[in-house]
Amino acid sequence: MSVVAVVFSVLALVLNGLMAGVFFAFSTSVMPGLDAVGEEAAAAAMRSANRKILNPAFLSTFTLAPVASLLAGVFLLVAGATGPAVLAFAAAVAYILGSFAVTAAINVPMNNALDAGELAWSAYAPRWTRWNTLRGWASALAVALLGVALYVWS
């Protein structure tokens, strides 16, 4: 086994797992909790959360999850583990399309509209949560693919 391939595979698994957890927690507890406090309070709290989440811990995890998956795929391929490499590449694609692209195309523009007062909470919360849940499932799929890759390779 290649130590570098193991390191990047485990790192990718952890980073994708952390992102799946963030998205899951928002959809299953944060958003319902905000819905329970009223529109103005919910919108104010979400605006604050959207500003505070732009921190080094979140941003590095969010951006490095697919990079680690891609690197895991490369090093697995170099190690001769073609099947696991394909799974790692598939994990990267799942995250890039289902988490990264959805964030950039839908969730962030909605956050900006909420911040600018252009979108009411009642229009924002259900749609944002649906897309956030998709991000969570895409991240969870990436975790599953990476887990299977490690299992098959072992």
Side-chain angles (χ1 to χ4, degrees):
M1 281 191 138
S2 161
V3 173
V4 176
V6 170
V7 167
F8 278 105
S9 296
V10 171
L11 178 63
L13 186 72
V14 170
L15 293 174
N16 281 280
L18 289 169
M19 290 311 306
V22 168
F23 296 138
F24 179 80
F26 258 87
S27 287
T28 61
S29 62
V30 173
M31 295 305 283
L34 291 177
D35 282 338
V37 299
E39 288 203 21
E40 289 304 313
M46 189 64 169
R47 284 191 293 271
S48 179
N50 287 336
R51 288 184 198 106
K52 294 298 181 181
I53 204 162
L54 299 176
N55 63 68
F58 174 81
L59 291 172
S60 59
T61 303
F62 178 74
T63 57
L64 291 177
V67 172
S69 297
L70 289 170
L71 289 172
V74 167
F75 288 112
L76 285 165
L77 202 55
V78 168
T82 305
V86 169
L87 292 169
F89 290 134
V93 170
Y95 184 90
I96 290 166
L97 295 178
S99 296
F100 199 86
V102 169
T103 298
I106 297 168
N107 291 86
V108 168
M110 288 184 73
N111 292 345
N112 293 340
L114 182 71
D115 192 48
E118 299 166 354
L119 190 57
W121 181 258
S122 59
Y124 171 89
R127 182 170 179 238
W128 189 95
T129 303
R130 277 192 303 277
W131 286 103
N132 183 68
T133 300
L134 174 67
R135 297 188 299 175
W137 281 112
S139 297
L141 175 60
V143 170
L145 290 166
L146 290 159
V148 171
L150 282 166
Y151 176 76
V152 168
W153 192 36
S154 65

